[in-house]
Amino acid sequence: MKKFQAQPGFVVQAFRFALDPNAAQEHALRSHCGAARAAYNWAVGWVEASWWQRRAEESYGIPEADLTPWRPWSLPALRKAFNEAKHTDPRFCGWWEDNSKEAYSTGLANASAAFDNYAKSKRGKRKGRAVGMPRFKAKRKARLACRFTTGTIRVEAGGRHVTLPRLGAIRVHESTVKLLVRVQSGTARILSATVRHERGRWFVSFQTEVKRDLVRVARPDTAVGIDLGIKTLAVMADSAGEIREVPNPRHLATALTELRRASRVVSRRRGSDRRTGQKPSRRWEKANAARNRVHHRVANLREDALHQLTTSVAAEYGTVVIEDLNVAGMVKNRRLARHITDAGFGEIRRRLDYKVKRNGCRIVAADRWYPSSKTCSGCGVVKAKLPLHIRTFHCDVCGLVIDRDANAALNLAALSAAAVAGTAVGGDQGAQAPKPRGADRKTRTTRPRLTAGTGRAGGATLPHQRQQETRDRTQAEALTLW
């Protein structure tokens, strides 16, 4: 599918609303999402059939030129093949006309993207973990989602209904005025709509092209460093020296007692058993719905808190400096995994990325190996070790005593000066490639140089000019401009 390019002065933005469909509309929504899953499974099976056929023919010694030709997985090819097969395939006969063509196009597009990701990963052209061959989606596990790109897609004038192809007008749970006003004034254009079932209810997301003017932040010349943690969700220190702490709401930890009680009730009901074909009882379904409501409430509270935090930061500072945390590696610690996922470190960084850029500001990501906690924010001396249980930073050179997280936030805020100067930007020419496993990223201890013949550290501290050069060099090695 061709990626949309916004016009100059316009940005692509999503508007998401909760739906309140009636029984017939909910059945139609589930039918469309099921049709997308069926089309995806058909495309995966149709493409892989030629792969297995070629492998079987090779085992019989058939030459390469006489093997069954490869079946393409591009979206146009899949659409053409599906349109020919839907009339005769017993999996679609009798019901495929009940849904919009966009439902089947959604499944085919997802299958095409899955094969593209597999091919790029196989050739080493895709970043991240290796991607395997696409697999069939199970009915009991697949997420319900369907995308509409053509047809009647609009927000009704009353602000309480949306219209989708083949589904008609569906009532929304909340007002759509924020999108309706933009569409009526000509500053927004709806490109597509995606319906999705999550957290126990249906949502619709409109992908729109919106004319958005840059909003001047409250302090455009001020940079802020954000240090994320578990005890305190975020410690923010700006370039003016002001330090502010954001407490960790711990939504999941607060709801654990209620969640354990709900889980015990579910375990004492008769659930489903796939081995014997046993159906869950009504009491189990009722108890499971009550447990799911606890999970949904925790997720909603966390999402709201993270939106408030990131929106306030993006509306105040001109430069935001954050850490490049290895969240996937951090959650492998079984003692901290639940607390880290409850805080949402990765989601904070993702939302700051697009919200800061939306206001025309800059976001800087400190290198993953930058010793923000071990570096003294006063003189720049770097400690060799600083265990996690030590929450107060004591500098052995200048005598600074400061909270560990506040010290890290001050060091992150200081990195913005190097970013303005243009030093150590990711991709600089002449930069040496790191050694395997980060062997060249070991923290080096910075010690004051002894003055010759005096036996003391040059007046107990480094000269001001050499000290500043040391700090700039350390920051230049660790900084990456996002």
Side-chain angles (χ1 to χ4, degrees):
M1 184 175 294
K2 185 178 180 180
K3 187 176 181 181
F4 175 78
Q5 298 291 339
Q7 300 179 7
F10 287 75
V11 297
V12 178
Q13 181 178 346
F15 291 84
R16 188 167 183 248
F17 306 99
L19 297 176
D20 283 336
N22 55 34
Q25 292 172 342
E26 183 169 1
H27 181 269
L29 286 170
R30 291 184 178 274
S31 178
H32 277 71
C33 296
R37 179 185 58 84
Y40 176 90
N41 290 340
W42 176 89
V44 171
W46 185 77
V47 173
E48 291 184 356
S50 64
W51 297 9
W52 295 112
Q53 180 66 22
R54 290 175 62 91
R55 179 174 297 183
E57 293 173 354
E58 289 175 352
S59 64
Y60 286 98
I62 299 178
E64 177 72 22
D66 298 335
L67 294 178
T68 301
W70 299 99
R71 286 179 174 175
W73 62 70
S74 64
L75 182 57
L78 291 179
R79 282 177 175 172
K80 182 179 180 180
F82 177 79
N83 290 332
E84 296 175 355
K86 65 184 180 182
H87 299 282
T88 57
D89 196 315
R91 291 172 292 182
F92 299 97
C93 289
W95 65 272
W96 68 268
E97 295 180 346
D98 298 339
N99 304 301
S100 171
K101 66 181 181 64
E102 293 296 317
Y104 307 102
S105 181
T106 299
L108 299 179
N110 293 341
S112 177
F115 280 109
D116 284 339
N117 292 335
Y118 168 69
K120 293 178 181 178
S121 179
K122 198 72 174 178
R123 296 193 299 264
K125 296 182 179 180
R126 189 178 189 274
K127 297 181 180 179
R129 299 175 57 185
V131 177
M133 292 177 57
R135 297 181 295 181
F136 296 111
K137 292 184 178 181
K139 182 178 181 180
R140 61 189 180 90
K141 289 184 178 181
R143 295 182 178 180
L144 301 178
C146 180
R147 187 185 183 200
F148 301 91
T149 57
T150 60
T152 305
I153 305 173
R154 66 171 179 264
V155 180
E156 297 298 337
R160 301 300 301 183
H161 293 81
V162 296
T163 300
L164 300 175
R166 294 295 297 270
L167 297 174
I170 304 177
R171 182 175 176 83
V172 293
H173 186 73
E174 50 191 334
S175 177
T176 60
V177 173
K178 59 182 180 181
L179 175 59
L180 179 62
V181 172
R182 290 177 176 268
V183 172
Q184 292 178 345
S185 62
T187 59
R189 182 170 64 95
I190 298 178
L191 305 176
S192 64
T194 303
V195 292
R196 186 184 303 274
H197 186 270
E198 59 183 17
R199 301 180 189 174
R201 70 183 314 155
W202 289 93
F203 293 89
V204 59
S205 299
F206 292 99
Q207 185 186 29
T208 61
E209 183 188 20
V210 181
K211 183 178 181 181
R212 193 177 189 92
D213 298 329
L214 294 178
V215 179
R216 183 174 178 84
V217 297
R219 304 163 66 183
D221 299 330
T222 304
V224 62
I226 303 177
D227 180 76
L228 302 178
I230 297 176
K231 181 179 179 181
T232 303
L233 179 59
V235 177
M236 298 184 294
D238 55 30
S239 54
E242 180 182 353
I243 300 177
R244 181 161 58 98
E245 295 184 357
V246 179
N248 189 358
R250 300 177 182 268
H251 299 293
L252 180 59
T254 305
L256 273 182
T257 301
E258 184 181 0
L259 185 60
R260 291 192 182 104
R261 184 183 299 112
S263 298
R264 282 198 300 268
V265 175
V266 174
S267 66
R268 292 168 182 169
R269 303 290 187 263
R270 190 186 70 184
S272 60
D273 192 342
R274 296 184 62 197
R275 296 172 298 179
T276 62
Q278 176 178 283
K279 301 287 185 174
S281 65
R282 292 289 183 88
R283 299 178 73 211
W284 183 92
E285 292 178 348
K286 184 177 179 180
N288 186 55
R291 180 179 59 177
N292 289 339
R293 282 194 293 269
V294 179
H295 282 294
H296 299 159
R297 176 172 174 80
V298 170
N300 292 333
L301 290 174
R302 182 187 301 115
E303 182 180 9
D304 181 67
L306 295 184
H307 267 305
Q308 292 186 21
L309 171 61
T310 53
T311 301
S312 62
V313 172
E316 183 175 358
Y317 302 100
T319 303
V320 178
V321 186
I322 58 178
E323 294 178 293
D324 182 20
L325 298 177
N326 182 19
V327 181
M330 295 169 65
V331 297
K332 293 182 180 180
N333 186 337
R334 63 183 182 88
R335 299 181 182 274
L336 300 176
R338 187 175 66 195
H339 303 285
I340 293 174
T341 53
D342 189 19
F345 291 166
E347 192 66 14
I348 292 176
R349 174 172 174 176
R350 186 189 71 85
R351 296 184 183 184
L352 279 176
D353 184 21
Y354 75 84
K355 289 184 179 181
V356 169
K357 294 179 180 178
R358 186 179 357 185
N359 294 341
C361 301
R362 298 184 312 111
I363 183 168
V364 178
D367 189 82
R368 184 170 296 178
W369 301 92
Y370 175 62
S372 59
S373 299
K374 301 177 182 179
T375 305
C376 177
S377 58
C379 63
V381 173
V382 182
K383 286 182 175 290
K385 294 182 179 180
L386 187 64
L388 189 61
H389 68 275
I390 299 179
R391 307 309 305 171
T392 303
F393 182 89
H394 296 266
C395 182
D396 300 330
V397 177
C398 65
L400 176 66
V401 179
I402 190 174
D403 181 76
R404 175 196 183 106
D405 297 335
N407 178 69
L410 289 172
N411 289 325
L412 292 174
L415 286 179
S416 61
V420 173
T423 59
V425 177
D428 284 345
Q429 297 182 358
Q432 297 181 356
K435 297 180 181 179
R437 296 175 296 171
D440 60 341
R441 299 299 185 93
K442 183 177 180 180
T443 303
R444 298 180 176 87
T445 306
T446 305
R447 299 184 181 277
R449 179 178 299 178
L450 295 177
T451 304
T454 60
R456 60 190 182 90
T461 58
L462 288 171
H464 176 72
Q465 184 176 4
R466 185 179 300 278
Q467 175 185 352
Q468 186 63 33
E469 293 176 356
T470 303
R471 295 187 63 183
D472 292 344
R473 184 168 58 255
T474 304
Q475 295 171 0
E477 294 175 354
L479 181 66
T480 302
L481 183 62
W482 194 340

